[in-house]
Amino acid sequence: MIDPAYPLFYTFNFYLFGVIALASALAFVTRKSPVAAALWLVNVMFALAALYVMLDAHFIAAIQVLVYAGAIMVVFLFVIMLLNLGHPSEIADIRGKWGKVGALVLGLILLAEIAVVSETRVSPEWILPRGEMDRLLAEKGAVGVVADPLFTHYLLAFELTSILLLIAIVGAVALGRRAEHHVEPVSEESAHAG
């Protein structure tokens, strides 16, 4: 993490982007229009990218904007338009009584998990010694620091993620494909019989 020259300014902006990300995420899950929800999700991605920049992870921030806010959100919007969900007022969801109760329970569980994780101390072997990140950046560069473990130690997880994305794309195409109705030609005999 960087050592800011203006700690109050840094802290204010860090929490500001955090609040923007949370508010945008809340707007994302409460919008009924799929397109509006997708655009709020783009806002979440940009706020997270700003947080990555403040944490001195510029490469991750650039990838966040290029891949998630750019490419993947374009795919999301393409799928939404492909599915032709209709007017937002016609979309049925689980916003009934039990849907809201379930969402409340899940939200409370997530808040409890966040509280537990925030009180948990990070294992010492997970913490890089001071100056280690600067040495790695000078040795491998910003891309190499991410790419080296990704394509060596975590290659299996990376490949499984790519397979999951491929399955999601195939599923989106299958959902977006309209059912074809074959109309049998009506012969004169069957027309007279009917």
Side-chain angles (χ1 to χ4, degrees), residues 116-144:
V116 170
V117 169
S118 63
E119 294 297 324
T120 305
R121 290 193 172 274
V122 178
S123 180
E125 61 264 19
W126 290 6
I127 301 175
L128 289 176
R130 182 173 283 277
E132 179 69 11
M133 184 54 73
D134 293 334
R135 186 188 67 78
L136 289 173
L137 285 174
E139 183 182 326
K140 300 179 180 179
V143 179

Side-chain angles (χ1 to χ4, degrees), residues 16-168:
L16 175 65
F17 284 114
V19 169
I20 291 173
L22 287 175
S24 301
L26 188 62
F28 162 65
V29 297
T30 54
R31 298 303 95 185
K32 203 163 187 180
S33 168
V35 176
L39 293 177
W40 278 113
L41 186 57
V42 171
N43 207 35
V44 174
M45 306 279 183
F46 276 112
L48 291 179
L51 290 176
Y52 290 143
V53 169
M54 298 190 74
L55 292 172
D56 214 15
H58 302 105
F59 176 68
I60 301 296
I63 293 299
Q64 173 83 10
V65 172
L66 291 175
V67 175
Y68 288 100
I72 291 183
M73 287 312 301
V74 169
V75 173
F76 276 10
L77 288 173
F78 176 72
V79 170
I80 288 170
M81 288 186 282
L82 193 65
L83 290 176
N84 192 17
L85 297 174
H87 194 270
S89 61
E90 301 169 355
I91 299 173
D93 54 16
I94 56 169
R95 295 187 190 188
K97 177 184 173 185
W98 293 110
K100 290 178 181 177
V101 170
L104 179 64
V105 171
L106 285 176
L108 290 175
I109 291 172
L110 287 175
L111 284 177
E113 288 181 355
I114 290 172
V116 170
V117 169
S118 63
E119 294 297 324
T120 305
R121 290 193 172 274
V122 178
S123 180
E125 61 264 19
W126 290 6
I127 301 175
L128 289 176
R130 182 173 283 277
E132 179 69 11
M133 184 54 73
D134 293 334
R135 186 188 67 78
L136 289 173
L137 285 174
E139 183 182 326
K140 300 179 180 179
V143 179
V145 170
V146 177
D148 187 30
L150 188 65
F151 291 107
T152 53
H153 301 296
Y154 303 105
L155 181 61
L156 179 62
F158 178 74
E159 293 297 333
L160 288 176
T161 305
S162 64
I163 292 172
L164 283 176
L165 287 175
L166 178 63
I167 292 171

Side-chain angles (χ1 to χ4, degrees), residues 186-194:
V186 180
S187 62
E188 288 188 18
E189 295 176 0
S190 59
H192 289 299

